[in-house]
């Protein structure tokens, strides 16, 4: 069971984990041992509450496919167990990030002081460029 919050858990049967060989340089060990973890989690077929499903599907994240499948590859550590923990932790953090309500953005206007500073700097730059002109 993966605990997301006090009320939300994901059973292990919904998380598909495969061990694969790591990419990149690593010497002799990398060619014969499958230490990287490939984790897949189907959002639509999961037992998550509807709120979590909707918010996850709305995310513009490269780890989430158009079909609603989260794919995480963990290959940072040398052992399969640590990579598995890392992948599960990253899945948990992704799902938890959706539960935090986003702040509503309010449009603001520039202050009077910032407007005056901008105009003064433009005038100063204009005077400086005017001095560069040809002498008559």
């Amino acid at each position: 069971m993966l605990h997301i919050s006090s009320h939300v858990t994901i059973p292990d049967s919904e998380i598909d984990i495969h061990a694969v060989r790591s990419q990149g340089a690593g010497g002799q060990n990398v060619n014969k041992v499958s230490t990287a973890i490939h984790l897949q989690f189907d959002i639509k077929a999961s037992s998550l509450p509807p709120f979590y499903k909707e918010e996850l599907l709305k995310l513009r994240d490269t780890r989430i496919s158009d079909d609603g499948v989260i794919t995480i590859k963990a290959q940072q550590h040398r052992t399969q167990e640590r990579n598995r923990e890392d992948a599960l932790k990253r899945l948990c953090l992704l799902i938890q990030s959706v539960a935090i309500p986003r702040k509503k953005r309010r449009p603001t206007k520039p202050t009077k002081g910032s407007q005056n500073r901008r105009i003064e700097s433009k005038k100063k730059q204009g005077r400086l460029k005017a001095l560069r002109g040809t002498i008559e």
Side-chain angles (χ1 to χ4, degrees):
M1 293 288 275
L2 181 66
H3 296 280
I4 306 299
S5 68
S6 59
H7 304 305
V8 181
T9 58
I10 299 172
D12 291 333
S13 60
E14 293 181 3
I15 302 171
D16 190 26
I17 296 177
H18 297 290
V20 294
R21 290 190 180 148
S22 294
Q23 293 177 332
Q28 298 166 350
N29 199 45
V30 77
N31 296 326
K32 59 187 177 185
V33 181
S34 298
T35 55
I37 294 294
H38 197 94
L39 181 144
Q40 289 188 318
F41 176 71
D42 191 1
I43 299 169
K44 294 176 182 175
S46 70
S47 61
L48 282 173
F51 167 76
Y52 282 91
K53 288 182 183 182
E54 291 169 14
E55 294 297 318
L56 279 170
L57 292 171
K58 272 194 245 175
L59 280 179
R60 307 292 294 153
D61 197 320
T62 56
R63 297 173 290 185
I64 302 173
S65 70
D66 294 334
D67 302 330
V69 177
I70 298 174
T71 304
I72 296 175
K73 185 171 184 183
Q75 60 181 7
Q76 197 167 12
H77 303 286
R78 277 183 67 95
T79 62
Q80 196 178 91
E81 293 80 26
R82 292 205 37 209
N83 281 329
R84 185 178 186 279
E85 291 169 10
D86 182 41
L88 289 171
K89 188 169 97 176
R90 284 165 45 195
L91 175 67
C92 186
L93 288 174
L94 179 66
I95 297 172
Q96 285 174 348
S97 71
V98 169
I100 301 167
R102 301 264 188 301
K103 245 185 178 177
K104 272 251 179 179
R105 292 188 64 183
R106 282 194 340 239
T108 57
K109 293 181 181 176
T111 62
K112 196 72 168 169
S114 69
Q115 287 177 348
N116 289 338
R117 284 190 298 272
R118 179 178 157 273
I119 298 300
E120 285 303 315
S121 71
K122 286 171 74 72
K123 285 180 184 175
K124 183 179 173 186
Q125 193 67 26
R127 287 192 294 266
L128 183 72
K129 286 190 172 192
L131 292 172
R132 294 183 195 158
T134 57
I135 301 171
E136 294 174 9

